[in-house]
Amino acid sequence: MSDKIEVRTDGAPAPAWMFSQGVRKGPILQVSGQGPQDPATGEYLYHGDVKAQTRRTLENVKAIVEAGGASIEDVVMFRVYLTKRADFPLMNEVYAQFIEENVAPGGVKPCRTTVFVELPQEPMLVEIDAQAVVTS
């Protein structure tokens, strides 16, 4: 019997294609790439505003992390995908605020990689995925 389970939550948008919001196998939790979508409607939000899109996207990731039994403190890696290099400082500002709010003072911050790509939907300026190791 496999200990691999699909993680689902109404706190993040439903997957658009054939994949899970998240998958947990033992202590490892992988969150699929999330975008700046409204969790209830799936509508892309904040067209042209990378700061607002980054915040919404991080909140979607957080909802899946928590549904998988983890917290942001359990995240070992975030991968951020941006469409424009010029958006990096704005994304980074919001990301830093989010980490400050979700990782205890003196705690270990997750690793992060930022990649510049063409994203699957025109309104998307950012997409983020995460991997966590669940400690409880």
Tab-separated table of all heavy atoms in Angstrom, residues 29-70:
chain	number	residue	atom	x	y	z
A	29	LEU	N	6.162	16.821	0.907
A	29	LEU	CA	4.975	17.467	0.334
A	29	LEU	C	5.417	18.343	-0.826
A	29	LEU	O	6.253	19.227	-0.661
A	29	LEU	CB	4.286	18.326	1.405
A	29	LEU	CG	3.165	19.246	0.930
A	29	LEU	CD1	1.998	18.447	0.354
A	29	LEU	CD2	2.688	20.128	2.081
A	30	GLN	N	4.857	18.073	-2.007
A	30	GLN	CA	5.125	18.891	-3.187
A	30	GLN	C	3.860	19.627	-3.564
A	30	GLN	O	2.795	19.027	-3.677
A	30	GLN	CB	5.579	18.026	-4.369
A	30	GLN	CG	5.830	18.801	-5.639
A	30	GLN	CD	6.997	19.773	-5.531
A	30	GLN	OE1	8.065	19.416	-5.059
A	30	GLN	NE2	6.790	21.008	-5.967
A	31	VAL	N	3.986	20.943	-3.744
A	31	VAL	CA	2.870	21.784	-4.171
A	31	VAL	C	3.065	22.122	-5.641
A	31	VAL	O	4.126	22.613	-6.038
A	31	VAL	CB	2.799	23.081	-3.341
A	31	VAL	CG1	1.706	24.005	-3.855
A	31	VAL	CG2	2.592	22.750	-1.860
A	32	SER	N	2.040	21.860	-6.453
A	32	SER	CA	2.092	22.217	-7.869
A	32	SER	C	2.177	23.721	-8.034
A	32	SER	O	1.746	24.480	-7.162
A	32	SER	CB	0.837	21.718	-8.584
A	32	SER	OG	0.845	20.325	-8.685
A	33	GLY	N	2.694	24.140	-9.177
A	33	GLY	CA	2.794	25.560	-9.467
A	33	GLY	C	1.447	26.248	-9.344
A	33	GLY	O	0.456	25.773	-9.893
A	34	GLN	N	1.443	27.343	-8.606
A	34	GLN	CA	0.235	28.131	-8.390
A	34	GLN	C	0.399	29.482	-9.054
A	34	GLN	O	1.512	30.005	-9.149
A	34	GLN	CB	-0.023	28.321	-6.889
A	34	GLN	CG	-0.282	27.034	-6.150
A	34	GLN	CD	-1.537	26.356	-6.657
A	34	GLN	OE1	-2.622	26.927	-6.654
A	34	GLN	NE2	-1.391	25.118	-7.103
A	35	GLY	N	-0.721	30.045	-9.471
A	35	GLY	CA	-0.721	31.371	-10.069
A	35	GLY	C	-1.612	32.301	-9.278
A	35	GLY	O	-2.174	31.932	-8.243
A	36	PRO	N	-1.778	33.508	-9.776
A	36	PRO	CA	-2.548	34.538	-9.078
A	36	PRO	C	-4.046	34.405	-9.336
A	36	PRO	O	-4.682	35.281	-9.923
A	36	PRO	CB	-1.994	35.830	-9.671
A	36	PRO	CG	-1.637	35.449	-11.076
A	36	PRO	CD	-1.126	34.042	-10.973
A	37	GLN	N	-4.597	33.294	-8.902
A	37	GLN	CA	-6.004	33.016	-9.169
A	37	GLN	C	-6.829	33.097	-7.899
A	37	GLN	O	-6.358	32.749	-6.814
A	37	GLN	CB	-6.164	31.630	-9.772
A	37	GLN	CG	-5.556	31.488	-11.144
A	37	GLN	CD	-5.572	30.046	-11.571
A	37	GLN	OE1	-4.615	29.316	-11.338
A	37	GLN	NE2	-6.674	29.631	-12.184
A	38	ASP	N	-8.076	33.496	-8.076
A	38	ASP	CA	-9.037	33.462	-6.985
A	38	ASP	C	-9.338	32.002	-6.665
A	38	ASP	O	-9.675	31.236	-7.571
A	38	ASP	CB	-10.306	34.199	-7.413
A	38	ASP	CG	-11.356	34.201	-6.339
A	38	ASP	OD1	-12.131	33.215	-6.271
A	38	ASP	OD2	-11.409	35.173	-5.567
A	39	PRO	N	-9.207	31.598	-5.386
A	39	PRO	CA	-9.452	30.195	-5.051
A	39	PRO	C	-10.872	29.720	-5.374
A	39	PRO	O	-11.053	28.569	-5.745
A	39	PRO	CB	-9.196	30.129	-3.545
A	39	PRO	CG	-8.302	31.272	-3.268
A	39	PRO	CD	-8.703	32.345	-4.239
A	40	ALA	N	-11.856	30.595	-5.245
A	40	ALA	CA	-13.250	30.186	-5.452
A	40	ALA	C	-13.626	30.105	-6.923
A	40	ALA	O	-14.335	29.191	-7.341
A	40	ALA	CB	-14.190	31.146	-4.728
A	41	THR	N	-13.149	31.058	-7.724
A	41	THR	CA	-13.599	31.138	-9.116
A	41	THR	C	-12.548	30.695	-10.134
A	41	THR	O	-12.887	30.427	-11.288
A	41	THR	CB	-14.002	32.581	-9.467
A	41	THR	OG1	-12.821	33.404	-9.442
A	41	THR	CG2	-15.052	33.118	-8.506
A	42	GLY	N	-11.279	30.669	-9.736
A	42	GLY	CA	-10.209	30.359	-10.677
A	42	GLY	C	-9.836	31.533	-11.562
A	42	GLY	O	-8.937	31.430	-12.396
A	43	GLU	N	-10.492	32.666	-11.382
A	43	GLU	CA	-10.220	33.860	-12.185
A	43	GLU	C	-8.824	34.399	-11.890
A	43	GLU	O	-8.399	34.457	-10.738
A	43	GLU	CB	-11.263	34.944	-11.872
A	43	GLU	CG	-11.029	36.252	-12.590
A	43	GLU	CD	-11.995	37.345	-12.153
A	43	GLU	OE1	-12.926	37.069	-11.371
A	43	GLU	OE2	-11.788	38.485	-12.589
A	44	TYR	N	-8.109	34.785	-12.952
A	44	TYR	CA	-6.799	35.420	-12.776
A	44	TYR	C	-7.016	36.844	-12.284
A	44	TYR	O	-7.825	37.594	-12.839
A	44	TYR	CB	-6.005	35.404	-14.081
A	44	TYR	CG	-5.494	34.021	-14.389
A	44	TYR	CD1	-6.230	33.164	-15.196
A	44	TYR	CD2	-4.309	33.563	-13.835
A	44	TYR	CE1	-5.788	31.877	-15.451
A	44	TYR	CE2	-3.866	32.276	-14.086
A	44	TYR	CZ	-4.603	31.447	-14.896
A	44	TYR	OH	-4.167	30.172	-15.138
A	45	LEU	N	-6.273	37.209	-11.249
A	45	LEU	CA	-6.452	38.493	-10.569
A	45	LEU	C	-5.267	39.425	-10.803
A	45	LEU	O	-4.171	38.979	-11.143
A	45	LEU	CB	-6.605	38.258	-9.063
A	45	LEU	CG	-7.739	37.324	-8.636
A	45	LEU	CD1	-7.647	37.039	-7.144
A	45	LEU	CD2	-9.086	37.927	-8.994
A	46	TYR	N	-5.506	40.699	-10.582
A	46	TYR	CA	-4.458	41.737	-10.533
A	46	TYR	C	-3.625	41.819	-11.810
A	46	TYR	O	-2.396	41.846	-11.762
A	46	TYR	CB	-3.556	41.519	-9.311
A	46	TYR	CG	-4.316	41.255	-8.043
A	46	TYR	CD1	-4.217	40.033	-7.389
A	46	TYR	CD2	-5.162	42.223	-7.505
A	46	TYR	CE1	-4.931	39.778	-6.224
A	46	TYR	CE2	-5.882	41.973	-6.342
A	46	TYR	CZ	-5.754	40.754	-5.713
A	46	TYR	OH	-6.458	40.506	-4.561
A	47	HIS	N	-4.298	41.879	-12.928
A	47	HIS	CA	-3.611	41.978	-14.221
A	47	HIS	C	-2.599	43.118	-14.202
A	47	HIS	O	-2.934	44.244	-13.852
A	47	HIS	CB	-4.624	42.183	-15.352
A	47	HIS	CG	-5.521	41.000	-15.550
A	47	HIS	ND1	-5.567	40.312	-16.733
A	47	HIS	CD2	-6.378	40.357	-14.721
A	47	HIS	CE1	-6.422	39.305	-16.631
A	47	HIS	NE2	-6.928	39.313	-15.398
A	48	GLY	N	-1.353	42.805	-14.563
A	48	GLY	CA	-0.302	43.810	-14.663
A	48	GLY	C	0.355	44.201	-13.347
A	48	GLY	O	1.287	44.996	-13.346
A	49	ASP	N	-0.086	43.665	-12.204
A	49	ASP	CA	0.446	44.039	-10.885
A	49	ASP	C	1.188	42.847	-10.286
A	49	ASP	O	0.601	42.002	-9.617
A	49	ASP	CB	-0.705	44.485	-9.981
A	49	ASP	CG	-0.253	44.977	-8.614
A	49	ASP	OD1	0.916	44.734	-8.229
A	49	ASP	OD2	-1.080	45.607	-7.926
A	50	VAL	N	2.492	42.781	-10.497
A	50	VAL	CA	3.262	41.623	-10.051
A	50	VAL	C	3.300	41.514	-8.529
A	50	VAL	O	3.347	40.408	-7.984
A	50	VAL	CB	4.684	41.605	-10.658
A	50	VAL	CG1	5.582	42.643	-10.008
A	50	VAL	CG2	5.289	40.206	-10.562
A	51	LYS	N	3.252	42.626	-7.824
A	51	LYS	CA	3.257	42.558	-6.360
A	51	LYS	C	1.985	41.879	-5.846
A	51	LYS	O	2.052	40.959	-5.033
A	51	LYS	CB	3.412	43.962	-5.756
A	51	LYS	CG	4.804	44.537	-5.924
A	51	LYS	CD	4.912	45.949	-5.413
A	51	LYS	CE	4.982	45.972	-3.906
A	51	LYS	NZ	5.281	47.328	-3.389
A	52	ALA	N	0.847	42.312	-6.319
A	52	ALA	CA	-0.422	41.713	-5.890
A	52	ALA	C	-0.522	40.263	-6.363
A	52	ALA	O	-1.021	39.397	-5.633
A	52	ALA	CB	-1.602	42.532	-6.407
A	53	GLN	N	-0.044	39.990	-7.578
A	53	GLN	CA	-0.063	38.608	-8.072
A	53	GLN	C	0.842	37.705	-7.235
A	53	GLN	O	0.487	36.568	-6.937
A	53	GLN	CB	0.362	38.555	-9.544
A	53	GLN	CG	-0.715	39.011	-10.491
A	53	GLN	CD	-0.453	38.560	-11.920
A	53	GLN	OE1	0.472	37.804	-12.211
A	53	GLN	NE2	-1.303	39.021	-12.829
A	54	THR	N	1.996	38.215	-6.831
A	54	THR	CA	2.910	37.418	-6.007
A	54	THR	C	2.262	37.078	-4.676
A	54	THR	O	2.299	35.923	-4.229
A	54	THR	CB	4.234	38.170	-5.790
A	54	THR	OG1	4.864	38.385	-7.061
A	54	THR	CG2	5.178	37.390	-4.880
A	55	ARG	N	1.634	38.062	-4.045
A	55	ARG	CA	0.986	37.814	-2.753
A	55	ARG	C	-0.130	36.775	-2.875
A	55	ARG	O	-0.226	35.850	-2.083
A	55	ARG	CB	0.444	39.131	-2.176
A	55	ARG	CG	-0.113	38.993	-0.785
A	55	ARG	CD	0.989	38.526	0.150
A	55	ARG	NE	0.467	38.168	1.448
A	55	ARG	CZ	1.133	38.333	2.568
A	55	ARG	NH1	2.335	38.873	2.563
A	55	ARG	NH2	0.623	37.962	3.700
A	56	ARG	N	-0.997	36.926	-3.887
A	56	ARG	CA	-2.092	35.973	-4.079
A	56	ARG	C	-1.532	34.574	-4.332
A	56	ARG	O	-2.046	33.576	-3.821
A	56	ARG	CB	-2.973	36.429	-5.257
A	56	ARG	CG	-4.097	35.483	-5.634
A	56	ARG	CD	-5.222	35.452	-4.617
A	56	ARG	NE	-5.061	34.308	-3.727
A	56	ARG	CZ	-5.645	34.195	-2.534
A	56	ARG	NH1	-6.429	35.144	-2.077
A	56	ARG	NH2	-5.447	33.141	-1.783
A	57	THR	N	-0.498	34.494	-5.141
A	57	THR	CA	0.105	33.207	-5.472
A	57	THR	C	0.697	32.549	-4.226
A	57	THR	O	0.500	31.353	-3.993
A	57	THR	CB	1.169	33.382	-6.567
A	57	THR	OG1	0.537	33.954	-7.727
A	57	THR	CG2	1.808	32.062	-6.952
A	58	LEU	N	1.406	33.319	-3.413
A	58	LEU	CA	1.969	32.778	-2.171
A	58	LEU	C	0.870	32.311	-1.222
A	58	LEU	O	1.024	31.291	-0.550
A	58	LEU	CB	2.868	33.810	-1.494
A	58	LEU	CG	4.230	34.010	-2.166
A	58	LEU	CD1	4.896	35.283	-1.653
A	58	LEU	CD2	5.132	32.797	-1.941
A	59	GLU	N	-0.239	33.024	-1.168
A	59	GLU	CA	-1.355	32.602	-0.314
A	59	GLU	C	-1.955	31.290	-0.823
A	59	GLU	O	-2.344	30.429	-0.032
A	59	GLU	CB	-2.421	33.698	-0.224
A	59	GLU	CG	-1.970	34.936	0.519
A	59	GLU	CD	-1.603	34.714	1.985
A	59	GLU	OE1	-2.091	33.747	2.608
A	59	GLU	OE2	-0.815	35.521	2.520
A	60	ASN	N	-2.019	31.117	-2.138
A	60	ASN	CA	-2.505	29.852	-2.703
A	60	ASN	C	-1.561	28.704	-2.345
A	60	ASN	O	-2.006	27.622	-1.955
A	60	ASN	CB	-2.669	29.958	-4.219
A	60	ASN	CG	-3.815	30.869	-4.621
A	60	ASN	OD1	-4.683	31.202	-3.822
A	60	ASN	ND2	-3.806	31.294	-5.872
A	61	VAL	N	-0.257	28.939	-2.459
A	61	VAL	CA	0.726	27.916	-2.083
A	61	VAL	C	0.580	27.580	-0.608
A	61	VAL	O	0.551	26.411	-0.219
A	61	VAL	CB	2.162	28.392	-2.411
A	61	VAL	CG1	3.196	27.451	-1.801
A	61	VAL	CG2	2.368	28.515	-3.913
A	62	LYS	N	0.471	28.605	0.228
A	62	LYS	CA	0.353	28.398	1.679
A	62	LYS	C	-0.874	27.541	2.019
A	62	LYS	O	-0.807	26.650	2.877
A	62	LYS	CB	0.273	29.743	2.392
A	62	LYS	CG	0.164	29.631	3.902
A	62	LYS	CD	0.089	31.008	4.549
A	62	LYS	CE	-0.077	30.900	6.053
A	62	LYS	NZ	-0.163	32.244	6.678
A	63	ALA	N	-1.993	27.789	1.350
A	63	ALA	CA	-3.207	27.006	1.614
A	63	ALA	C	-2.979	25.523	1.340
A	63	ALA	O	-3.433	24.665	2.101
A	63	ALA	CB	-4.366	27.535	0.768
A	64	ILE	N	-2.256	25.210	0.285
A	64	ILE	CA	-1.987	23.809	-0.053
A	64	ILE	C	-0.973	23.217	0.923
A	64	ILE	O	-1.128	22.079	1.371
A	64	ILE	CB	-1.533	23.676	-1.517
A	64	ILE	CG1	-2.636	24.184	-2.447
A	64	ILE	CG2	-1.165	22.225	-1.840
A	64	ILE	CD1	-2.195	24.409	-3.874
A	65	VAL	N	0.050	23.978	1.265
A	65	VAL	CA	1.028	23.519	2.256
A	65	VAL	C	0.310	23.145	3.554
A	65	VAL	O	0.528	22.072	4.126
A	65	VAL	CB	2.112	24.597	2.504
A	65	VAL	CG1	2.921	24.304	3.756
A	65	VAL	CG2	3.032	24.719	1.293
A	66	GLU	N	-0.578	24.025	4.006
A	66	GLU	CA	-1.296	23.766	5.250
A	66	GLU	C	-2.263	22.594	5.117
A	66	GLU	O	-2.398	21.790	6.046
A	66	GLU	CB	-2.006	25.032	5.717
A	66	GLU	CG	-1.012	26.087	6.198
A	66	GLU	CD	-1.641	27.408	6.601
A	66	GLU	OE1	-2.841	27.632	6.298
A	66	GLU	OE2	-0.926	28.224	7.208
A	67	ALA	N	-2.899	22.446	3.973
A	67	ALA	CA	-3.791	21.306	3.752
A	67	ALA	C	-3.020	19.994	3.769
A	67	ALA	O	-3.574	18.942	4.106
A	67	ALA	CB	-4.545	21.460	2.427
A	68	GLY	N	-1.739	20.059	3.436
A	68	GLY	CA	-0.884	18.876	3.466
A	68	GLY	C	-0.281	18.593	4.828
A	68	GLY	O	0.540	17.690	4.971
A	69	GLY	N	-0.666	19.379	5.832
A	69	GLY	CA	-0.196	19.135	7.188
A	69	GLY	C	1.104	19.822	7.544
A	69	GLY	O	1.743	19.478	8.550
A	70	ALA	N	1.501	20.799	6.767
A	70	ALA	CA	2.770	21.495	7.001
A	70	ALA	C	2.516	22.986	7.231
A	70	ALA	O	1.370	23.441	7.225
A	70	ALA	CB	3.701	21.293	5.801
